[in-house]
Amino acid sequence: MKGLYFQQSSTNEEITFVFQERENLPVTEDNYVKLQVKACALSQINTKLLAEMKMEKEFFPVGREVAGIVLDVGSKVSFFQPDDEVVGILPLDSEDPGLCEAVRVHEHYLVHKPEKVTWTEAAGTIRDGLRVYTALHYLSHLSPGKSVLIMDGASALGTIAIQLAHHRGAKVISTACSLEDKQFLERFRPPIARVIDVSNGKAHVAESCLEETGGLGVDIVLDAGVRLYSKDDEPAEKLQLLPHKHDIITLLGVGGHWVTTEENLQLDPPDSHCLFLKGAAVAFLNDEVWNLSNVQQGKYLSTYLKRCDGEVINWCF
């Protein structure tokens, strides 16, 4: 049985992908499940994070979001039985690549797949669905009547975020990075309250949001990255599409929540003071938070996935 792995050069500049023969999976025991893979999503491999976690090795398995059929279960498995249709995310330290015929995975990394959701849809949405649920449910406490700014709404993350926000009864504002994205967002039903086209660099996100909310500001911001410095110090590609951190702080309402994907966010004392006066909060959306917690503490993902993934997949489709 073959599986796909990536190999990084000693200079960390070149990555090659190789198929390798794998030994037969060990006997399924304890809380482990043997899964026949029906679909696997390809996500970006975060080599920087692997280095920080000291998890680098010569060959690293490719593909972690998987959907498939349970073939066998260990004696301590309580959530699944053979022939169940499931979907999940393999842990960061998994030895098995998702891109192979079968994998062995702990039951806590899996949830049941809804019947009406295809294999491809399940594997393709599980990661972004979990990220959005984390951002809007756990980090910003989304509730009916709240106003939400979702940056780059036509992206995979943004599209799911808009659906969840509408599902929870929120008012949605979103940005579009091109004319095609703007047209796509304007076709959403229920409609988005305002689509801000930032592709030409002329739109003022903060002014548009304050105008849409009657000067009160938005309750929740889910960004897709921000500019940290002046125009002279930023790369050209970031100048046009991303708002400055000061714009986000300006458009945030009293008691608001800013959920950021910018891992190197820097807030100066005046920025912190402005957030303090507004009683606002800043939260970081870490793609691997459920896996990092598991690597470090040996727990967490099971309860987390069981509580949210079923709902995520159901409302996405």
Side-chain angles (χ1 to χ4, degrees):
M1 181 170 59
K2 291 184 177 181
L4 184 65
Y5 295 79
F6 88 87
Q7 183 179 22
Q8 192 166 12
S9 66
S10 57
T11 59
N12 294 333
E13 295 180 355
E14 183 179 352
I15 291 179
T16 57
F17 293 88
V18 296
F19 280 102
Q20 285 191 334
E21 286 289 345
R22 302 174 58 242
E23 297 180 359
N24 292 331
L25 295 176
V27 176
T28 307
E29 57 185 15
D30 295 337
N31 292 94
Y32 282 85
V33 171
K34 183 178 181 181
L35 181 68
Q36 179 187 4
V37 178
K38 290 291 188 179
C40 176
L42 289 177
S43 297
Q44 182 177 0
I45 299 170
N46 193 335
T47 54
K48 179 182 177 182
L49 177 62
L50 294 175
E52 290 177 353
M53 297 298 298
K54 302 186 184 305
M55 298 176 64
E56 293 176 299
K57 44 192 172 184
E58 183 178 4
F59 295 97
F60 197 85
V62 175
R64 292 172 49 211
E65 300 82 42
V66 296
I69 299 175
V70 175
L71 298 177
D72 192 18
V73 298
S75 59
K76 296 182 180 180
V77 172
S78 56
F79 293 108
F80 307 104
Q81 57 186 2
D83 297 327
D84 280 352
E85 297 184 353
V86 299
V87 59
I89 303 175
L90 301 181
L92 199 61
D93 58 349
S94 173
E95 297 292 335
D96 297 330
L99 283 170
C100 65
E101 296 178 11
V103 296
R104 177 177 174 268
V105 58
H106 197 286
E107 66 170 328
H108 289 172
Y109 292 97
L110 302 171
V111 292
H112 287 95
K113 180 184 75 68
E115 292 183 6
K116 295 182 180 180
V117 178
T118 69
W119 299 115
T120 304
E121 290 169 341
T125 58
I126 188 70
R127 173 177 288 272
D128 282 324
L130 187 55
R131 291 177 67 202
V132 167
Y133 198 93
T134 302
L136 297 184
H137 181 75
Y138 285 99
L139 298 182
S140 56
H141 311 291
L142 179 67
S143 59
K146 292 287 185 71
S147 57
V148 185
L149 170 63
I150 298 171
M151 308 298 294
D152 194 9
S155 65
L157 180 72
T159 301
I160 298 179
I162 291 171
Q163 293 180 69
L164 178 56
H166 278 154
H167 177 70
R168 293 292 177 85
K171 177 181 181 179
V172 177
I173 303 171
S174 184
T175 62
C177 298
S178 67
L179 177 60
E180 292 77 12
D181 289 353
K182 182 175 183 290
Q183 294 171 342
F184 169 73
L185 293 173
E186 288 175 341
R187 291 195 296 268
F188 255 88
R189 294 294 180 270
I192 298 171
R194 176 174 293 203
V195 177
I196 306 170
D197 185 0
V198 298
S199 61
N200 55 17
K202 297 180 180 180
H204 297 283
V205 176
E207 292 181 9
S208 298
C209 289
L210 291 173
E211 179 182 334
E212 185 64 36
T213 58
L216 297 177
V218 299
D219 299 305
I220 299 169
V221 177
L222 175 57
D223 72 30
V226 294
R227 288 192 290 114
L228 303 178
Y229 311 109
S230 64
K231 292 185 177 181
D232 296 334
D233 299 325
E234 289 279 12
E237 63 270 14
K238 294 189 75 174
L239 292 179
Q240 193 176 53
L241 303 182
L242 296 180
H244 195 279
K245 60 181 178 180
H246 295 153
D247 294 330
I248 300 294
I249 295 173
T250 299
L251 63 85
L252 198 61
V254 173
H257 291 79
W258 175 12
V259 181
T260 181
T261 59
E262 179 56 64
E263 62 181 67
N264 297 313
L265 179 67
Q266 299 178 27
L267 295 177
D268 300 321
D271 301 329
S272 298
H273 184 65
C274 185
L275 290 170
F276 169 77
L277 293 177
K278 292 186 175 188
V282 179
F284 291 86
L285 181 59
N286 179 357
D287 288 9
E288 298 291 349
V289 66
W290 51 89
N291 282 301
L292 292 180
S293 297
N294 181 74
V295 170
Q296 295 169 350
Q297 302 173 19
K299 59 182 180 179
Y300 178 70
L301 180 63
S302 171
T303 302
Y304 192 61
L305 281 178
K306 292 295 185 293
R307 291 176 64 181
C308 69
D309 274 10
E311 181 177 349
V312 168
I313 297 176
N314 274 309
W315 57 250
C316 278
F317 301 97

